[in-house]
């Protein structure tokens, strides 16, 4: 996967690459695209909820639970870590902590997105065989 | 499964509101050579499942869904369809997992899910199928020699009978068989003793179940303990419970059944209703505690009566209630007691029982327009009017059971009546006719339902005096004109006061000679 991805993605990502085959030659990229689209929606919801300032921790926790679940799908480990922390703050009812952590969540999310975009770009350039080799 | 169970082509329904996971799981399952259907909403999933009753082998669902709690979905699936369900979640908290298991999940997977975990899910399907077979066979053992049944089977099975289908069950069955064969040399495995679930016995059963409450953990052992019937075995209770659950589920389904024949719907508020209300206790209406308040319930009142009358009117004709394939009479039992069910059974699907289910006669109220069964079971015109009323109450839709009830073999008037349910007018007419033959009602009705009333009960009406017993399994199947197919037992964990509210007469006994009632498969009407 390359050093640039180290730490950002866990073995789940590799599992996805294993699933990629002739039937779905762009499986991983499709999944990633789906993830970012869905997670952007969730981030938006959380943003709005936080902006409201009412801090409905249950609701926030719920959103984050979904977000975390989604992030595990592609193996976004750093994002997951931040999600967990956010949920902890929710449980504690710590608004400040939630706000801070959420910034981190967004940051990691954006970073991962860039890295994956780059990754897939390279993969496309390299060609299918190359991609297979690289992913192994 | 006898045909050789193969994991390949296992029909899996995956339910997850996360589109990314849905895509991944679909791919993973396909790689396992399963046949995959994906779904993003719990309600949609239920719809799909109900639409194709036997269309799926296993359901995998996420715990957190926006439109419905995953656990609720689990309940529904378990109750209505008795399919194995695997829960998934990113949350592995013990209490969540426990909740899943308590709700009947056969497994709980943590996300991220690995291929190896999905590769073995077929085992759950196989296991369940085997359990069902054992259950059916198990019924056959019941009622055997007293000393045999008195065997402390409950003791043997110990706790956990709810999920006892496993080694314990296997051992138990084997031992039972051994004992039975030993005790009765003349009995072959093909000839099984049966427990006759008399009305009283069933009442006890229902009371026990209700006592346990609306928690799915109402298992055979608990029920047996509460019933306090020394000769009854856990096995007996288990199989009876299964039927009961099936029945209840059918009721629920019926409630939701919208596609009843037009007439049925109209039956809802037919004026004829009043004509037929023969002092039947109204609990009947609500006897099925389906809180779902589905349409079935509304109709129940009228339907039963009407049906009752119709069946009454033509004792000779009625052998089997017409088996209208998809038309069910919706009886909406205005039962208030359906506490548990209410929440559990929001089914909206109309089962397609007719062809595949044995005609189990559940009270006459199950007048379902089903094809007439060829069997010539005498009609037990048990107080048709009263019977009808009470029985009709349950919003039973013709789930198999109902069919069983009124299964006029031929298109006799009764059948016609039933079949004409779709047409309010003819139905009304029939009812009129029916009501005129009150004297033989009881008998004819029961006969038509393939139930035979015990000698002691004759015409008149169904009341607690009647002691209906039903014979389960084979006997029933043997007698029916083979229209029955094996039921798939549904597993309802809780049967709220449904039965308890039903008047006793709703229980029909089946004369061994002509029993066509398949308790095993039918719904219990209490």
């Amino acid at each position: 996967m390359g050093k640039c991805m180290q730490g950002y993605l866990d073995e789940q990502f590799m599992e996805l690459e294993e699933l990629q085959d002739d039937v779905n030659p762009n499986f991983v990229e499709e999944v990633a695209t789906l993830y970012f689209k869905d997670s952007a929606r969730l981030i938006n919801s959380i943003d709005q909820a936080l902006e409201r300032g009412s801090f409905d921790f249950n609701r926030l926790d719920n959103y984050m639970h979904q977000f975390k679940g989604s992030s595990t799908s592609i193996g976004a480990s750093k994002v997951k870590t931040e999600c967990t922390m956010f949920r902890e703050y929710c449980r504690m009812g710590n608004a400040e902590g939630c706000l801070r952590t959420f910034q981190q969540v967004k940051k990691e999310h954006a970073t991962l997105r860039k890295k994956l975009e780059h990754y897939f770009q390279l993969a496309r350039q390299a060609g299918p065989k190359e991609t297979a080799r690289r992913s192994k | 499964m006898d045909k050789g169970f193969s994991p390949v082509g296992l029909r899996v329904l995956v339910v997850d509101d996360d589109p990314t996971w849905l895509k991944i799981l679909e791919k993973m399952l396909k790689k396992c050579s399963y046949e995959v259907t994906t779904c993003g909403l719990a309600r949609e999933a239920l719809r799909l499942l109900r639409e194709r009753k036997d269309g799926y082998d296993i359901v995998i669902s996420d715990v957190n869904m926006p439109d419905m709690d995953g656990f609720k979905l689990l309940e529904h699936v378990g109750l209505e369809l008795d399919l194995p369900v695997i829960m998934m979640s990113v949350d592995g908290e013990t209490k969540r997992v426990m909740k899943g298991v308590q709700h009947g999940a056969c497994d709980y997977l943590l996300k991220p899910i690995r291929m190896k975990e999905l590769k073995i899910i077929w085992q759950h399907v196989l296991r369940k199928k085997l359990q069902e077979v054992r259950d059916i066979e198990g019924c056959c053992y019941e009622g055997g020699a007293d000393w045999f049944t008195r065997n402390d089977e409950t003791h043997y099975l110990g706790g956990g009978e709810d999920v006892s289908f496993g080694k314990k069950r296997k051992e138990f069955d084997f031992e039972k068989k051994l004992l039975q064969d030993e005790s009765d040399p003349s009995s072959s495995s093909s000839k099984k003793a049966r427990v006759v679930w008399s009305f009283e016995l069933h009442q006890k059963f229902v009371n026990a179940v209700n006592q346990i409450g609306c928690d799915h953990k109402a298992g055979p052992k608990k029920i047996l303990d509460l019933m306090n019937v020394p000769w009854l075995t856990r096995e007996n209770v288990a199989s009876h419970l299964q039927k009961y659950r099936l029945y209840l589920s059918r009721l629920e389904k019926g409630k939701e059944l919208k596609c009843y024949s037009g007439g049925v719907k109209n039956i809802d508020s037919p004026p004829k209703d009043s004509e037929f209300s023969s002092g039947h206790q109204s609990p009947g209406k609500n006897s099925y505690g389906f809180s779902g308040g589905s349409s079935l319930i509304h109709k129940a009142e009228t339907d039963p009566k009407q049906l009752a009358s119709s069946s009454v009117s033509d004792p000779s004709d009625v052998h089997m209630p017409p088996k209208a394939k998809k038309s069910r009479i919706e009886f909406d039992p205005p039962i208030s007691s359906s506490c548990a069910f209410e929440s559990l059974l929001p089914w909206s699907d109309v089962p397609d029982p007719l062809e595949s289910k044995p005609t189990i006669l559940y009270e006459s109220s199950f007048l379902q327009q089903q094809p007439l069964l060829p069997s010539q079971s005498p009609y037990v015109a048990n107080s048709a009017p009263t019977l009808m009323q009470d029985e009709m109450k349950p919003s039973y839709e013709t789930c198999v059971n109902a069919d069983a009830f009124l299964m006029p073999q031929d298109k006799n008037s009764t059948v016609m009546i039933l079949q004409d349910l779709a047409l309010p007018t003819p139905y009304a007419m029939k009812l009129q006719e029916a009501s005129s033959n009150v004297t033989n009602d009881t008998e004819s009705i029961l006969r038509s339902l393939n139930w035979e009333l015990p000698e002691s009960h004759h015409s008149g009406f169904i009341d607690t005096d009647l002691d209906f017993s039903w014979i389960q399994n084979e006997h029933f199947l043997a007698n029916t004109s083979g229209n029955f197919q094996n039921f798939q037992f549904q597993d309802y964990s809780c049967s709220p006061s449904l039965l308890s509210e039903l008047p006793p007469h709703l229980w029909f006994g089946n004369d061994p000679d002509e029993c066509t009632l398949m308790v095993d498969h039918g719904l219990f009407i209490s």
Side-chain angles (χ1 to χ4, degrees), chain A residues 67-130:
Chain A
F67 189 86
K68 184 181 173 192
S70 204
S71 302
T72 59
S73 72
I74 63 159
S77 46
K78 285 193 189 242
V79 175
K80 260 202 308 184
T81 306
E82 298 301 331
C83 288
T84 306
M85 204 144 12
F86 182 93
R87 294 189 76 195
E88 268 309 302
Y89 283 121
C90 278
R91 283 194 203 117
M92 295 192 285
N94 186 334
E96 159 85 39
C98 282
L99 283 169
R100 248 186 307 116
T101 314
F102 190 58
Q103 297 313 309
Q104 282 301 109
V105 168
K106 285 197 280 187
K107 183 166 153 253
E108 292 299 343
H109 184 261
T111 305
L112 180 65
R113 184 181 212 141
K114 278 206 193 76
K115 284 189 184 283
L116 276 174
E117 275 170 5
H118 182 66
Y119 176 78
F120 289 123
Q121 205 169 24
L122 288 176
R124 264 180 263 122
Q125 285 170 6
K129 269 195 239 155
E130 193 59 26

